[in-house]
Every structure is written in structure tokens, then in C-alpha cells.
Amino acid sequence: MYTYNVTISVDDSVHEAWVEWMRTEHIPEVLATGMFVDATLHEVLVEGDSGTTYAAQYRFRDPEDLQLYQQLHAPGLQAKSAAKFGQKALAFRTLL
């Protein structure tokens, strides 16, 4: 089993709206692609200048599933996030 980890730094000004959006819209949309087995959202316990950091983790079985997700679904979902939160929710992605 593999994990696609998305670490997001969320500005305080959008924090509550972002968490609600992740739980009710974004994570369900990602799971609806059928490429992932499950997902979790964790607060990263670090001291920061501003905002809160989260790790959204999506588990998958086959590297081809992630490749298909990144080709077919990720660009549109990432664009939706950027349109809604702009620079107030900055993400980087790692594979575990």
C-alpha cells in the first residue's frame, strides 16, 4: 500500500472554510475518482508564523492508479482549490 501525501499550509483567514471544504467537498471528490482506497486529514503539529499546516493522505494500491489520478483528475481538482483559496492554502505533494 502507498500513500499520496499532500501537505497544505492554510492561512488563518480561511482556516475554518478550508477545513469544511476539505471534509465535505474536496476529499469526497478525490475519493470519487476511484483511484484511492481511503483518505485521512491530519493537523501537522508544528509551530508556524501564520496559519495551520495539514497533511491530507490518500492511500492507493497500485502506482498506476496515482499516475492516472495525476493525469486525469489532479489538474482540475487543484485548479478548483486554487480558484477557491488562492495563495491562502499552499500545498506540496510527496509519495510515501
Side-chain angles (χ1 to χ4, degrees):
M1 191 74 65
Y2 303 93
T3 301
Y4 178 55
N5 184 79
V6 183
T7 304
I8 311 101
S9 177
V10 182
D11 189 83
D12 288 337
S13 66
V14 299
H15 179 256
E16 288 183 32
W18 182 86
V19 170
E20 178 69 14
W21 174 78
M22 283 292 287
R23 289 185 177 151
T24 63
E25 292 182 45
H26 186 71
I27 290 173
E29 283 184 310
V30 172
L31 291 175
T33 67
M35 302 294 153
F36 299 99
V37 174
D38 60 20
T40 56
L41 182 64
H42 305 276
E43 183 175 341
V44 177
L45 302 176
V46 296
E47 296 284 327
D49 293 339
S50 174
T52 306
T53 300
Y54 286 88
Q57 297 187 333
Y58 306 92
R59 292 188 322 143
F60 62 100
R61 289 189 174 94
D62 189 328
E64 289 180 11
D65 290 336
L66 180 63
Q67 184 178 15
L68 283 172
Y69 171 77
Q70 290 175 322
Q71 290 172 350
L72 302 175
H73 305 286
L77 291 168
Q78 290 171 12
K80 285 174 86 171
S81 177
K84 188 163 185 72
F85 297 104
Q87 297 294 308
K88 295 186 183 255
L90 299 175
F92 71 90
R93 294 149 183 88
T94 52
L95 188 57
L96 308 174

